[in-house]
Amino acid sequence: RNEWNDKTAEITGFTKEEAFNKPLVTTFIVASLRQSVQEVLDNALKGKETSNYELEFRTKTNEVRYLLVNATTRRDANSGIVGVVGVAQDVTEAAQHDRAVAAMANELRQLVDTANAPIFGIDVHGNVNEWNNKTAEITGFTKEEAFDKPLVSTFIVSSLRQSVQEVMDNALQGRETSNYELEFRTKSGEIRYLLVNATTRRDADSNIVGVVGVAQDVTEAAQHDRAVAAMANELRQLVDTANAPIFGIDVYGNVNEWNDKTAEITGFTKEEAFNKPLVTTFIVASLRQSVQEVL
């Protein structure tokens, strides 16, 4: 070293006397950057200067200071190259902040990728730009297969595309939707039912840049609900078409069940019978008391 001003001494903790005549790179630069810094200095010693190069100085107390450096060729009166001068800006706080933000972003990325819930997203054009491991597992499509594909037309069953598109369009306008059930078509042609919160995605300036869907796989529950509904519908058909009269009342004694055979036998349609008091309307007077007791 043949140049070491007061600010460099203050930042590094090494006095001018301690620094002078020491090899810059091996003494003051962290090991991981020595080769690249040496190349920058070698280039400057050949007249090829470098601007805004970030290097890491090791201080006397073994801390690291981040400096943004312009490496300028130093010449004598005859324009002969006699060394290199580095004019630097101490960007330690900004660099540490950037690294903290990067570490947080990396941590968030890992949380998204490894979350036990399907998380997917689209850009403003509706193309997939987020597809975590759970989404890949559930759908059978890898991140590489899904990325840049239009979400709705590629992965949503045709009967729901219009309504899902509306949900996405709303989120792209800042109107978010919670607990929306959609049906994903998997790679093997199966259907997975997802309960989704569609959240607007914004950049650092609060501009809308896409939508993120955080979902819950409710396939088993949805299939169970549909099976129960199908069974209930089947029972309803059995009751309505049974070859025996079937009728019923609510807790107030009013008709709430009146199948086709009952309508045929009595001549009263379901509409005529419903909500009428069974005993006083349809039972002969002499039997009303005993029928009421039975009910």
Side-chain angles (χ1 to χ4, degrees), residues 118-122 151-152 156 163-182 184 194-202 208 210-216:
I119 299 175
F120 54 90
I122 59 169
L151 175 74
V152 174
I156 305 301
S163 61
V164 173
Q165 188 66 58
E166 288 175 3
V167 167
M168 295 297 164
D169 288 345
N170 283 337
L172 285 171
Q173 294 169 24
R175 297 191 298 275
E176 301 178 343
T177 301
S178 298
N179 296 325
Y180 178 79
E181 186 178 293
L182 55 78
F184 255 76
L194 301 184
L195 201 61
V196 177
N197 288 347
T199 305
T200 305
R201 195 173 197 172
R202 299 176 185 271
I208 294 174
V211 180
V212 174
V214 179
Q216 178 185 355

Side-chain angles (χ1 to χ4, degrees), residues 219-237:
T219 302
E220 282 68 31
Q223 288 173 337
H224 175 264
D225 290 346
R226 282 163 175 75
V228 169
M231 186 182 297
N233 185 57
E234 186 177 357
L235 287 172
R236 162 56 47 208
Q237 289 180 308

Side-chain angles (χ1 to χ4, degrees), residues 50-199:
T50 301
S51 298
N52 296 326
Y53 178 79
E54 187 180 290
L55 56 79
E56 300 174 22
F57 253 66
R58 180 74 65 185
T59 71
K60 195 172 184 177
T61 56
N62 213 33
E63 297 175 58
V64 173
R65 303 297 295 184
Y66 300 92
L67 302 182
L68 201 62
V69 177
N70 289 346
T72 305
T73 305
R74 194 171 196 173
R75 300 174 184 271
D76 61 18
N78 299 314
S79 293
I81 295 174
V82 294
V84 179
V85 174
V87 180
Q89 178 185 358
D90 185 0
V91 293
T92 302
E93 282 68 31
Q96 288 173 337
H97 175 264
D98 289 347
R99 281 162 174 75
V101 169
M104 187 182 296
N106 185 56
E107 186 177 356
L108 288 173
R109 164 54 48 206
Q110 287 181 308
L111 284 172
V112 168
D113 283 344
T114 61
N116 199 36
I119 299 175
F120 54 90
I122 59 169
D123 59 23
V124 292
H125 305 295
N127 297 325
V128 173
N129 61 1
E130 189 68 68
W131 196 263
N132 78 339
N133 297 342
K134 195 67 177 178
T135 309
E137 176 191 326
I138 287 172
T139 64
F141 292 99
T142 65
K143 184 179 290 189
E144 291 72 27
E145 290 173 319
F147 257 46
D148 298 320
K149 300 289 194 310
L151 175 74
V152 174
S153 60
T154 308
F155 303 106
I156 305 301
V157 296
S158 56
S159 60
L160 287 182
R161 284 177 189 163
Q162 183 176 345
S163 61
V164 173
Q165 188 66 58
E166 288 175 3
V167 167
M168 295 297 164
D169 288 345
N170 283 337
L172 285 171
Q173 294 169 24
R175 297 191 298 275
E176 301 178 343
T177 301
S178 298
N179 296 325
Y180 178 79
E181 186 178 293
L182 55 78
E183 299 174 22
F184 255 76
R185 176 78 64 186
T186 71
K187 195 172 184 177
S188 59
E190 299 173 54
I191 301 293
R192 302 298 294 185
Y193 300 92
L194 301 184
L195 201 61
V196 177
N197 288 347
T199 305

